[in-house]
Amino acid sequence: MAEKEYRIPQHVAIILDGNGRWAKKRLMPRNMGHVQGAKTVEQICEDADSLGIKYLTVYAFSTENWSRPESEVGAIMKLLRNYLRDCIKRANSNNMKVRVIGERSRLSDDIRQKIDELEKASENNTGLNFTIALNYGSRDEIKRAVTEIASECADGKIKPEDITEQMISEHLDTRGIPDPDLLIRTSGEERLSNYLLWQLAYTEFYFTDVLWPDFNKEELKKAIEKYNGRERRYGGVIE
Ligand code: IPE
Ligand code: IPE
Ligand code: MG
């Protein structure tokens, strides 16, 4: 694919899935799939940037993922600590601005501190806007936004009839980030699993059987190629 010939989506959102199955296929513990999956995330940030994508948002841990066995959750959190630490260095060498969305109070203090450091250290970077969804659930995000708006109403700062779609968007964790143009989910599953329900209203979806640890630049290009064949109508008609 000649990169210049294609319309590059401004914002790509990814549901990275299939780490466990990748490991199982190799008779390895599930955690090895997460280790490899984290490496794929690092590489795909560079690939997305080199293709001209401006925003990349990945689903790393959902509000539902706490229901996994304690040993797996513990292993993911350990991996996350290392990942966040390395990410500070990489963000600065790659000029990447990193942001974390999701509910933070359930994360441990040291992880929260690393997130703050990472966001602060990379806030002035002007390259790829990389967003990590951690303890993220779209319904939880919407619930938190509704609570904030309701208390602004109760305090008399706004009236219920003044609530706009824009105001709702601005109360979500993704405030300031344009809605995704393309959503990719790996591993053959075709569902949203509580990811960006509001933001994906008009996003094009691409599903692939490739397991996340095997996902690479070629696969990303295939998704972009497919996206280029789609006609986005936003409810209107194309003459
Ligand atoms: C995605 O891979 C990573 C997380 C949800 C943390 P999975 O761990 O869901 O892998 P499968 O779906 O079991 O193969
Ligand atoms: C979605 O994957 C969550 C993340 C990628 C972090 P899951 O593997 O948890 O989703 P389900 O359980 O198949 O819907
Ligand atoms: Mg899964």
Side-chain angles (χ1 to χ4, degrees), residues 1-3 5-9 12 51 53 182 184 204-206 215 217-231:
M1 167 181 141
E3 285 162 24
E5 290 166 25
Y6 282 95
R7 233 177 343 114
I8 300 295
V12 176
L51 288 170
I53 292 165
L182 172 65
I184 298 172
E204 298 294 335
F205 289 7
Y206 175 84
F215 196 82
K217 191 174 186 179
E218 280 316 302
E219 298 299 331
L220 180 59
K221 285 184 185 173
K222 275 190 214 165
I224 294 174
E225 211 170 319
K226 201 80 180 188
Y227 167 80
N228 272 261
R230 307 272 177 89
E231 198 177 68

Side-chain angles (χ1 to χ4, degrees), residues 39-99:
K39 290 185 185 149
T40 303
V41 172
E42 287 181 15
Q43 185 57 45
I44 225 67
C45 284
E46 291 186 24
D47 297 337
D49 192 36
S50 73
L51 288 170
I53 292 165
K54 297 275 180 282
Y55 295 84
L56 180 73
T57 303
V58 302
Y59 205 3
F61 193 83
S62 75
T63 46
E64 288 74 29
N65 287 148
W66 297 104
S67 68
R68 294 189 178 200
E70 220 179 288
S71 59
E72 179 167 350
V73 172
I76 292 174
M77 291 301 148
K78 190 169 163 218
L79 186 63
L80 185 61
R81 284 188 178 88
N82 295 333
Y83 180 84
L84 292 170
R85 191 197 54 221
D86 295 347
C87 197
I88 297 187
K89 288 181 223 135
R90 276 186 311 105
N92 287 328
S93 52
N94 298 343
N95 193 23
M96 186 166 80
K97 181 170 173 170
V98 190
R99 190 160 143 184

Side-chain angles (χ1 to χ4, degrees), residues 136-149 168 171-173 194 196-199:
Y136 177 86
S138 194
R139 289 184 172 181
D140 171 70
E141 178 192 37
I142 292 169
K143 185 212 75 181
R144 287 185 283 109
V146 169
T147 305
E148 272 178 36
I149 294 172
I168 295 171
H171 281 81
L172 297 174
D173 296 346
N194 205 7
L196 302 173
L197 302 180
W198 173 274
Q199 298 87 340

Side-chain angles (χ1 to χ4, degrees), residues 11-25:
H11 182 178
V12 176
I14 303 182
I15 301 176
L16 50 95
D17 200 9
N19 290 352
R21 279 163 282 170
W22 183 91
K24 195 173 173 207
K25 255 174 62 181

Side-chain angles (χ1 to χ4, degrees), residues 189-207:
E189 309 299 345
E190 301 190 357
R191 57 177 168 266
L192 290 178
S193 303
N194 205 7
Y195 194 42
L196 302 173
L197 302 180
W198 173 274
Q199 298 87 340
L200 295 174
Y202 269 103
T203 302
E204 298 294 335
F205 289 7
Y206 175 84
F207 299 107

